[in-house]
Amino acid sequence: FEELWYASYSRDLTEPWPYFNLEGSSYIENPVWEDKAPNFVQNVFMFVTLMSNFIPLSLYVSVEMITVMMMMLVGWDLHMYHAESDTPATARSTIVTDLGLVEYIFSDKTGTLTCNVMEFKRCSVDGHAFGLPMEKAEPPPLNTIHEEKSSDDLDMPDSVHPLKHLMACPPLASDLPQVDESNRSFALECMADTLTFNAEMFLRTMSICHTVVVEKDDDPENMIQEKKKVRALRKGKKGTSDASSIGSKSTKNGIKSVRKKAKDGAPAGYVYQAESPDEGALVAAASLEYGFQLLGRNSSGVQISCSCPSILEDTEVVVGLKNGTVTAKTLAARTAPPSGGSSRYAGLHVNTVDEDVRSRRERWSILAINKFDSDRKRMSVLVRSPPELGSIPMLLCKGADSSMLVEGVCEGAHMLNSIVGKDGTSNAKPESEADVIVLESLLGIQAHLGEFASEGLRTLVLGVKVLTEEVTEEWLSKFKVAATSIDNRDQKLTTVAYEIEKDLHIVGATAIEDKLQDGVPETIANLEKAGIKLWVLTGDKRETAIEIGYSTKVLTPKMHVTEIVDGPKKHVKALVAMELMRHIKIGNLPDYQLAGLAVEKVWSLKSILNCLGAIGNWRRRTWLAFESFHLKKIKRLWLSEENFENEMEDLKDDIEAQNRREDPRIQRRKVRELARKTIEDFWNDPDNAHVKRNLPHDDGASVVSDDPPAVFERAKTARESLRNRHQNELDADAMRIKKLALAKVSTSNRDGFDEEALSMQSFVPSKQTIKFDKKKRTVFQKIFAVDKDVRHGNLSIHLKNEYKDALFLDEKEQAGKKEIETMVGVAPPQRDFDVGSVKRGLVVEGAALKHLLGDPVMEEMLFAVASCSESVIACRVSPIQKALLLKMVRKYVLPTPTTLAIGDGANDVGMIQEAHIGIGISGLEGQQAVNASDFAIAQFRFLETLLLIHGRWNFMRMSKSCLFFFYKNAALIGTMMVFSERCLHSGTPLYDPWVISVFNFVGGSMPIVLMACFDRDLPRDYVMRNPEVYECGPKNEFLSFRMTLRTVFMTIIHTLVVYHFAAPALWLGGGVTPAFKGLMANWGRDVPGDGEGGDLQVFGTTIYSQLIYIVTFKALYETRSVIHGEFPTFTCRRGKGEGWWNRIGYTYVGVTWFSILFYMFFLYTYQLIGRDGPQSGTFFPMVFVTEHVMNMRSITWMISILAPTMACIFDITGKVFSNMFYPTKTQIHAEIAASGNWKK
């Protein structure tokens, strides 16, 4: 070297630098050294600016794009499109991901679960059921199939007949039962085609006992349709009108002329207006099915058109009924159809509406109407028959079976209760053959009522009572006095009604279907399997709500239903308190047991962790105190009175929630103490002594039992009695003993449990049967498992060996849970009933809620009882009570659950607005609910798809997207933090500023956006078949703390792999010489090549490229469902097949075009702008950098292969390892779905 230059530090600032002033060059000033380091504050702000990209600014834009796409997919889903009304689902809010977190659903009934359309389906008359049975969604238990099929199937189906068979004529005289010869003449002289007495009175009660009004139909469409029908019939066209809507009558020439009817059975051009849909359904059925048509109503009575002769046309029958020699019971017995065998209706002539030619009009005088009330649970009409039918005064009555089939009201109830009653203390026996026939009829009705109720039908029992003139006049005088009374008129009318509604002759029972929307029971069942609790809040009466509960499978026949009805305040609170103590004793509420309320005095790890919670509680309490001061002293100056009250109420709720959060045991102790005190006050009240005497066990713990509803027990006993009567297997006494035993077999164990033993259980934690072996958990499952069930050992692989063997038995060999436990010896075989295993339902009236809501302790007591119930139905609730019940759940469940409210009317708006998610159904009650909702659907069944499919997918997609966005930005900043140590923490950026700015778009953003729009971890069909996979959302599986830790750990791994695989290869000499020129091309030892590779821009861009590749590849294998698309994507065929948007391979488009290729395009464009643009500025440093990195150096491509490969190996290995040794339930279901065995 001719000259050797070296640099050193000199304190002489005037001495010129030698290589700055060479010969022939101008003078250059000496550089000024910085001899002071930046202070701490400068460093803080410098690194804050440098690390600002840690916050993924693209997340906001990307989330909005993803959300809009999710909303559009909701509207495009054909599975939620209602073709009849041309109504698609609509997402009116951006909370689409919250649909995957729902734990509670609050639903209205009318218009939401039902169509609000009643239809007459079945009836029971003379001990026979008419109308085909409704299809049951749930099959009977396996053990009952083998035990009862042989007997029930031989008898009960023969007593079921089509609805038209109710018009069957009575038997001939030779077929009559043996009765007194003196009374046989009445039956002998009856016309051959009259109905039985019970059938005729049943149809007359349906057509007369109501308040339906006939009005002119002003609907022009209906008028046009009626005119078309008439023209078609006159022209002789067939098949243009429904047969059930057309009757006929005979003309002088014997030709049948048409008698037109409207769709609801009213005369042509008229419609029926009923106070309740039930009455409208009964009147319509009487007209359309049986020809008893209501023609009109005025102040004097009702006019009907009867399509068959009446038994009251016989003069001797009328005389006998008036003087008392013939009663309704004897007349019913003489005209009853033959019993026994499958030919009981063989040979009987059945009248039909179309065949009848003796139509006549009758005017029945209405003397008085006893309206329905909640005490009597029935209504009755005092009428007088037309003169041609003897002008007989009689009472027609209909009501609930619980109010009709009771002693004092029902004639023969004492005999019925001697067989199907619970106590069985009555020894009443039939005294005559007529009593035997009446008893069989009552037994048949009782059996059919249980069958109807199990099918979810709304039932009514109908009865009649023939009165004498003296009794009629005497009662009418009392009725007029009560009706004109000013004080306590309702109570007086009720008292008068009680006087006449006695000794009714029961003629039959009706079964009406409140037309459910399609798929409601299946939807509710699947939502229950998904772990979502359903509360039905309705304004209908309690009986209606319960019937709909059975129809929708919200309630089941085997479920014990607790009814909290209106009453005195002390009684309502006592009932809730007793139910609470019962749940505590049987172990359903372990947190309220004495062991759960005890103060922990042992110093343990849990108590140490509670110290951290105490610090958090102190912080929250301090903040609430500041908010209270700020609201009362500062914000109060400008807030209006209404806004101030609202904010004060919210603040009080927050303070109350904080008090419960600090130590929930304090509030639970208050609840238990209040329950005990309430029960003691109730039993100490002398007015309640009779209740305690009637309890099966004198413990005073509860006035409720674990029996299913009484109607099912009574129905079962009635069926057994009828079967034995027909088979003649037992004499009367032995049969009664057997029936009593059958009536008690299902309740003896339930009423006989040891209350003292249960009381002792409240002192220790409840110990349920342990089915899982905790020792089968691996260390990895205990430490690393994300799923709680996996971590706690609650999967099938953790089952004890005996349980696992039982689960693999063939389905036909499995007889249920109890049989498996008995077989493996886990549960004692002799105990066939576990009081804690009884499924419970809660029905509460709105009038009773007024005694409970508002008091925090009573509210928590009510919620504790409701939380132990499988189903909750609130009836007769106001809109404000619906909102309060929903608010109660949000208040007392920790952590606060995601609630969903669904309704269709204006009375549901408050409930919808109070819930986290509001769904409106666009039905018949306007658009108020839709306008106040977040989502709108046309049918309740679409809620299943909205939650299980869109809700679950959306939450999964958004969770992965959020974690991915933070991951990619953290990896970017991580490499800069590692490089910071290399540059002595001077704040020198590793990457070019413009290259960093484009990272939010190309750095995996578009691939993850497309993944978040279309990814599916499980197929739609598999999710619909296995609704339990929805539980991963409420359990926060996709966004849990452990899942976040996994992401953080993998971010660190990828950061270290990217930097340490790339940086050493670049600074240790491998990046000095280009690949395709100079030394590596062997051009010559003195030809160094076209540029050097030690530049910071080249160094940073190379590492940045590896980061882009890794993030893009991770987005690819994080996608569970790769969209390959179809080739060619664009065709020349217009209007044929799918559009191009359905043929795009979105996954590969995002990975290639929108990520890697766009990144390459940006680098080359950036270089061109710097080269051809101004020679100074921000773009100039990238001149030839891209060409040098991508075109001239092989080390770039070697690193591009090794670094992403190693990073992906770490990530994929971790995923495979976790899926093998501690998988989540979602992963287990994904493997099952991928196997394809679930499709078989």
Side-chain angles (χ1 to χ4, degrees):
F1 298 95
E2 296 180 357
E3 297 182 8
L4 178 64
W5 298 95
Y6 66 95
S8 63
Y9 180 78
S10 176
R11 295 182 180 273
D12 188 1
L13 302 180
T14 61
E15 182 181 359
W17 287 44
Y19 57 85
F20 273 26
N21 298 278
L22 300 177
E23 295 181 1
S25 63
S26 60
Y27 177 76
I28 301 176
E29 295 182 0
N30 297 335
V32 179
W33 292 91
E34 294 184 6
D35 54 357
K36 292 183 180 180
N39 58 33
F40 176 77
V41 176
Q42 288 177 320
N43 277 330
V44 169
F45 281 100
M46 179 180 63
F47 277 94
V48 166
T49 304
L50 186 65
M51 306 300 175
S52 61
N53 283 282
F54 181 80
I55 304 300
L57 299 179
S58 62
L59 177 64
Y60 299 99
V61 179
S62 301
V63 166
E64 291 300 323
M65 294 171 57
I66 295 169
T67 302
V68 170
M69 189 61 189
M70 290 177 177
M71 296 171 63
M72 297 173 66
L73 290 175
V74 169
W76 291 342
D77 193 346
L78 294 178
H79 293 86
M80 295 190 294
Y81 173 72
H82 192 238
E84 288 77 2
S85 59
D86 190 21
T87 305
T90 305
R92 309 178 69 253
S93 175
T94 58
I95 55 174
V96 285
T97 56
D98 290 351
L99 293 171
L101 303 171
V102 176
E103 296 183 54
Y104 286 85
I105 294 179
F106 297 83
S107 174
D108 182 35
K109 181 192 74 69
T110 305
T112 302
L113 301 179
T114 69
C115 300
N116 203 18
V117 176
M118 307 294 179
E119 185 176 356
F120 181 82
K121 286 293 185 181
R122 305 186 68 186
C123 63
S124 175
V125 180
D126 289 320
H128 301 283
F130 299 89
L132 298 180
M134 304 291 292
E135 182 179 357
K136 297 183 180 180
E138 181 179 359
L142 294 176
N143 56 345
T144 59
I145 294 178
H146 301 289
E147 294 177 1
E148 299 182 2
K149 184 176 180 180
S150 58
S151 56
D152 285 348
D153 290 353
L154 292 176
D155 176 53
M156 295 308 298
D158 294 331
S159 64
V160 178
H161 313 281
L163 283 174
K164 294 292 186 181
H165 280 196
L166 182 60
M167 306 291 291
C169 303
L172 299 176
S174 58
D175 297 329
L176 288 174
Q178 298 298 323
V179 295
D180 297 338
E181 293 293 334
S182 58
N183 294 327
R184 181 182 291 273
S185 59
F186 294 117
L188 291 175
E189 297 184 10
C190 288
M191 289 178 289
D193 53 357
T194 57
L195 304 179
T196 67
F197 177 77
N198 284 344
E200 181 179 345
M201 291 298 103
F202 176 83
L203 296 176
R204 293 194 182 280
T205 303
M206 287 177 58
S207 59
I208 298 175
C209 183
H210 53 75
T211 57
V212 177
V213 178
V214 184
E215 295 183 353
K216 188 72 174 179
D217 187 7
D218 296 330
D219 190 350
E221 293 184 2
N222 293 338
M223 298 176 65
I224 293 174
Q225 293 295 329
E226 292 295 335
K227 291 181 180 179
K228 289 182 179 179
K229 289 182 180 181
V230 173
R231 294 193 192 101
L233 290 171
R234 288 177 178 175
K235 293 179 180 180
K237 293 183 179 180
K238 298 181 180 180
T240 58
S241 178
D242 187 72
S244 62
S245 301
I246 303 297
S248 59
K249 59 182 179 179
S250 179
T251 61
K252 293 181 180 180
N253 299 327
I255 302 176
K256 298 178 182 179
S257 63
V258 177
R259 185 179 69 247
K260 301 176 294 298
K261 293 182 181 179
K263 293 181 180 180
D264 60 352
Y270 293 84
V271 292
Y272 289 145
Q273 296 293 341
E275 292 183 356
S276 67
D278 302 76
E279 285 191 341
L282 291 179
V283 174
S287 175
L288 296 174
E289 297 290 343
Y290 305 112
F292 282 72
Q293 185 184 31
L294 174 66
L295 299 178
R297 173 189 294 273
N298 53 30
S299 58
S300 60
V302 297
Q303 186 178 17
I304 64 173
S305 174
C306 184
S307 61
C308 66
S310 173
I311 197 173
L312 298 180
E313 294 179 1
D314 191 293
T315 306
E316 295 188 13
V317 171
V318 173
V319 173
L321 290 174
K322 288 186 175 181
N323 58 27
T325 57
V326 176
T327 63
K329 177 175 65 175
T330 57
L331 194 58
R334 292 167 186 165
T335 60
S339 60
S342 61
S343 60
R344 59 185 62 180
Y345 267 82
L348 297 183
H349 174 67
V350 179
N351 291 325
T352 63
V353 178
D354 296 333
E355 294 174 347
D356 179 45
V357 296
R358 290 176 295 218
S359 177
R360 66 182 185 282
R361 296 190 175 187
E362 301 174 353
R363 177 170 292 279
W364 289 69
S365 302
I366 303 295
L367 304 181
I369 298 178
N370 297 316
K371 295 183 179 180
F372 177 89
D373 60 63
S374 58
D375 294 332
R376 293 167 35 248
K377 300 179 184 178
R378 55 181 177 262
M379 75 158 295
S380 58
V381 178
L382 181 61
V383 298
R384 185 182 297 277
S385 62
E388 61 270 19
L389 300 182
S391 298
I392 303 175
M394 59 179 63
L395 183 74
L396 308 180
C397 184
K398 64 181 179 183
D401 61 300
S402 59
S403 64
M404 295 288 288
L405 299 179
V406 295
E407 293 189 24
V409 178
C410 170
E411 183 184 37
H414 60 291
M415 297 183 295
L416 180 65
N417 291 335
S418 67
I419 297 178
V420 300
K422 276 192 172 183
D423 51 6
T425 56
S426 175
N427 294 322
K429 297 181 180 180
E431 298 179 356
S432 63
E433 193 67 25
D435 289 340
V436 173
I437 295 177
V438 170
L439 178 58
E440 288 188 354
S441 177
L442 291 177
L443 287 172
I445 291 175
Q446 185 69 73
H448 296 149
L449 284 173
E451 183 180 352
F452 298 160
S454 66
E455 295 172 359
L457 301 178
R458 302 157 58 92
T459 57
L460 287 175
V461 176
L462 279 57
V464 300
K465 181 180 181 180
V466 180
L467 304 173
T468 62
E469 295 292 343
E470 294 77 8
V471 174
T472 303
E473 294 297 330
E474 179 181 357
W475 184 85
L476 281 176
S477 61
K478 296 180 181 180
F479 177 80
K480 291 179 181 179
V481 173
T484 56
S485 177
I486 298 178
D487 298 330
N488 299 325
R489 180 168 58 181
D490 294 338
Q491 182 61 37
K492 292 180 180 179
L493 288 174
T494 301
T495 304
V496 172
Y498 272 121
E499 292 182 6
I500 196 172
E501 292 172 348
K502 297 179 179 179
D503 298 329
L504 298 176
H505 173 71
I506 304 302
V507 296
T510 63
I512 302 174
E513 179 189 21
D514 188 356
K515 186 66 175 178
L516 289 177
Q517 296 181 10
D518 295 337
V520 168
E522 294 79 8
T523 299
I524 293 177
N526 288 336
L527 292 177
E528 182 181 358
K529 293 178 182 178
I532 302 175
K533 296 183 178 180
L534 176 66
W535 289 30
V536 178
L537 312 180
T538 177
D540 292 341
K541 63 180 182 178
R542 178 162 45 94
E543 293 80 9
T544 303
I546 293 176
E547 293 291 347
I548 291 299
Y550 287 114
S551 179
T552 57
K553 309 304 179 185
V554 174
L555 302 177
T556 61
K558 295 183 179 180
M559 183 181 293
H560 165 70
V561 179
T562 300
E563 300 183 26
I564 302 178
V565 299
D566 185 23
K569 186 175 182 179
K570 292 183 178 179
H571 290 190
V572 174
K573 290 186 175 181
L575 178 59
V576 178
M578 292 175 185
E579 190 69 5
L580 173 75
M581 296 306 299
R582 190 173 186 83
H583 283 295
I584 294 175
K585 288 184 177 183
I586 63 181
N588 290 341
L589 294 172
D591 292 337
Y592 290 86
Q593 292 181 343
L594 297 181
L597 299 177
V599 180
E600 297 181 0
K601 298 182 179 179
V602 181
W603 188 262
S604 61
L605 178 62
K606 185 176 181 181
S607 59
I608 297 176
L609 295 177
N610 288 339
C611 295
L612 300 177
I615 297 175
N617 290 332
W618 175 83
R619 179 181 58 82
R620 286 188 292 266
R621 184 171 289 279
T622 303
W623 177 253
L624 289 174
F626 171 75
E627 281 193 342
S628 177
F629 172 80
H630 182 258
L631 177 61
K632 294 178 181 179
K633 302 300 182 181
I634 300 178
K635 293 183 67 175
R636 182 69 179 86
L637 299 176
W638 64 79
L639 285 178
S640 63
E641 189 68 26
E642 181 179 359
N643 292 336
F644 176 75
E645 293 296 334
N646 293 335
E647 293 200 15
M648 279 297 300
E649 184 178 354
D650 295 339
L651 181 60
K652 290 179 181 179
D653 293 340
D654 294 339
I655 294 175
E656 184 180 345
Q658 176 60 28
N659 293 334
R660 291 193 304 272
R661 186 183 294 110
E662 289 183 1
D663 191 354
R665 291 174 297 184
I666 297 177
Q667 188 71 7
R668 291 168 187 161
R669 291 192 195 100
K670 293 181 181 179
V671 172
R672 177 159 180 153
E673 291 172 2
L674 178 61
R676 282 293 186 187
K677 185 177 182 301
T678 303
I679 294 174
E680 291 177 2
D681 295 342
F682 179 80
W683 293 126
N684 292 334
D685 190 350
D687 296 338
N688 302 323
H690 66 285
V691 179
K692 190 171 184 178
R693 288 194 301 268
N694 295 332
L695 287 177
H697 36 74
D698 189 17
D699 63 339
S702 178
V703 294
V704 296
S705 68
D706 297 299
D707 299 341
V711 62
F712 300 108
E713 295 297 328
R714 294 166 63 89
K716 178 181 177 181
T717 308
R719 285 196 298 269
E720 294 289 339
S721 178
L722 283 175
R723 180 161 55 247
N724 289 328
R725 282 178 176 273
H726 294 158
Q727 295 178 353
N728 296 322
E729 294 178 349
L730 302 172
D731 57 15
D733 294 337
M735 181 179 61
R736 186 179 66 83
I737 295 174
K738 181 178 179 180
K739 298 306 163 289
L740 290 176
L742 287 172
K744 290 298 180 181
V745 67
S746 60
T747 60
S748 59
N749 292 333
R750 301 179 184 185
D751 293 335
F753 62 87
D754 190 352
E755 280 286 345
E756 303 215 354
L758 290 178
S759 299
M760 291 299 296
Q761 290 181 9
S762 65
F763 287 90
V764 296
S766 60
K767 294 182 179 180
Q768 300 177 352
T769 303
I770 300 177
K771 306 174 185 177
F772 299 98
D773 187 358
K774 301 299 182 181
K775 296 181 180 179
K776 291 187 176 183
R777 292 182 300 167
T778 64
V779 176
F780 295 112
Q781 291 176 348
K782 295 178 183 179
I783 300 177
F784 301 111
V786 174
D787 197 311
K788 291 183 179 180
D789 291 329
V790 178
R791 195 162 61 249
H792 297 162
N794 295 331
L795 296 183
S796 59
I797 59 175
H798 305 124
L799 282 172
K800 292 183 177 179
N801 294 331
E802 54 268 20
Y803 269 95
K804 188 177 294 187
D805 295 339
L807 288 177
F808 280 101
L809 293 177
D810 186 78
E811 293 182 0
K812 296 182 180 179
E813 299 177 3
Q814 293 189 22
K817 174 183 175 182
K818 294 181 180 179
E819 285 71 17
I820 293 178
E821 292 181 348
T822 303
M823 176 181 59
V824 299
V826 177
Q830 65 275 11
R831 183 179 180 182
D832 57 354
F833 178 76
D834 179 15
V835 68
S837 65
V838 177
K839 291 187 177 181
R840 313 180 82 89
L842 180 65
V843 178
V844 57
E845 283 189 344
L849 287 175
K850 66 182 181 183
H851 304 312
L852 305 174
L853 299 180
D855 184 353
V857 182
M858 288 304 304
E859 284 184 355
E860 185 166 352
M861 188 185 302
L862 174 63
F863 175 76
V865 173
S867 63
C868 297
S869 304
E870 300 291 332
S871 305
V872 178
I873 297 178
C875 52
R876 290 293 187 189
V877 291
S878 61
I880 187 63
Q881 287 179 327
K882 293 182 179 181
L884 290 175
L885 285 173
L886 195 151
K887 188 177 182 180
M888 180 185 70
V889 172
R890 296 180 59 178
K891 180 189 297 185
Y892 293 105
V893 179
L894 293 177
T896 303
T898 302
T899 56
L900 182 148
I902 179 171
D904 70 316
N907 59 338
D908 303 318
V909 171
M911 175 180 65
I912 290 174
Q913 292 178 340
E914 184 67 29
H916 294 94
I917 304 172
I919 296 183
I921 292 184
S922 53
L924 303 176
E925 299 187 20
Q927 296 294 314
Q928 293 92 333
V930 172
N931 295 334
S933 64
D934 300 304
F935 301 89
I937 56 178
Q939 295 280 294
F940 182 84
R941 69 178 185 271
F942 298 151
L943 182 63
E944 180 181 3
T945 301
L946 187 64
L947 294 182
L948 302 187
I949 302 301
H950 291 275
R952 186 184 175 281
W953 281 349
N954 291 345
F955 179 69
M956 177 270 298
R957 294 165 177 171
M958 191 62 74
S959 299
K960 293 170 64 174
S961 301
C962 292
L963 289 177
F964 194 92
F965 277 111
F966 280 100
Y967 150 78
K968 70 182 185 63
N969 281 63
L972 175 69
I973 299 303
T975 55
M976 298 176 66
M977 293 176 65
V978 176
F979 175 74
S980 179
E981 184 271 338
R982 187 74 179 175
C983 66
L984 303 179
H985 304 283
S986 62
T988 302
L990 176 60
Y991 308 121
D992 182 85
W994 281 96
V995 173
I996 293 178
S997 64
V998 80
F999 182 78
N1000 286 324
F1001 179 78
V1002 301
S1005 296
M1006 289 309 298
I1008 203 64
V1009 166
L1010 294 175
M1011 183 208 71
C1013 293
F1014 304 108
D1015 191 25
R1016 302 180 180 184
D1017 59 342
L1018 293 173
R1020 175 191 289 265
D1021 294 340
Y1022 185 86
V1023 175
M1024 298 300 286
R1025 290 191 183 187
N1026 301 272
E1028 58 272 8
V1029 299
Y1030 180 83
E1031 294 181 353
C1032 62
K1035 291 182 178 180
N1036 200 24
E1037 174 186 315
F1038 303 114
L1039 207 58
S1040 63
F1041 178 71
R1042 290 173 179 259
M1043 185 64 72
T1044 304
L1045 287 181
R1046 285 190 183 185
T1047 305
V1048 172
F1049 177 75
M1050 197 52 58
T1051 302
I1052 297 174
I1053 295 295
H1054 284 187
T1055 299
L1056 298 177
V1057 168
V1058 169
Y1059 185 83
H1060 290 292
F1061 261 79
L1066 296 175
W1067 76 52
L1068 294 179
V1072 174
T1073 303
F1076 307 112
K1077 292 183 181 180
L1079 299 179
M1080 295 188 68
N1082 199 21
W1083 283 16
R1085 301 299 298 175
D1086 56 348
V1087 180
D1090 187 10
E1092 301 297 332
D1095 181 33
L1096 181 61
Q1097 296 287 345
V1098 174
F1099 181 79
T1101 303
T1102 304
I1103 296 178
Y1104 183 88
S1105 300
Q1106 316 316 312
L1107 189 63
I1108 291 291
Y1109 302 149
I1110 292 175
V1111 171
T1112 302
F1113 293 155
K1114 182 174 175 61
L1116 179 61
Y1117 60 72
E1118 286 287 348
T1119 303
R1120 290 295 188 96
S1121 55
V1122 177
I1123 302 177
H1124 300 281
E1126 296 184 14
F1127 183 83
T1129 302
F1130 300 94
T1131 62
C1132 298
R1133 298 178 303 172
R1134 296 188 60 184
K1136 294 183 180 181
E1138 293 182 316
W1140 60 268
W1141 54 86
N1142 288 329
R1143 302 169 61 88
I1144 297 178
Y1146 288 97
T1147 302
Y1148 298 109
V1149 168
V1151 170
T1152 56
W1153 291 98
F1154 288 149
S1155 185
I1156 296 177
L1157 294 181
F1158 184 84
Y1159 169 64
M1160 296 294 180
F1161 171 78
F1162 166 77
L1163 286 183
Y1164 282 98
T1165 303
Y1166 190 10
Q1167 173 184 268
L1168 292 176
I1169 294 175
R1171 187 182 65 183
D1172 300 336
Q1175 299 301 313
S1176 62
T1178 58
F1179 298 103
F1180 186 73
M1182 282 294 290
V1183 173
F1184 290 109
V1185 171
T1186 304
E1187 184 177 354
H1188 193 79
V1189 171
M1190 298 296 177
N1191 299 354
M1192 299 182 181
R1193 301 201 310 161
S1194 61
I1195 190 68
T1196 302
W1197 299 105
M1198 294 174 63
I1199 296 174
S1200 299
I1201 295 174
L1202 293 177
T1205 301
M1206 292 304 300
C1208 292
I1209 287 176
F1210 276 109
D1211 198 355
I1212 295 174
T1213 302
K1215 291 180 180 297
V1216 173
F1217 187 82
S1218 64
N1219 292 341
M1220 290 178 61
F1221 295 101
Y1222 43 93
T1224 62
K1225 285 192 292 186
T1226 301
Q1227 176 61 28
I1228 296 174
H1229 283 287
E1231 295 178 6
I1232 297 174
S1235 66
N1237 295 331
W1238 59 277
K1239 297 180 180 180
K1240 299 179 181 179

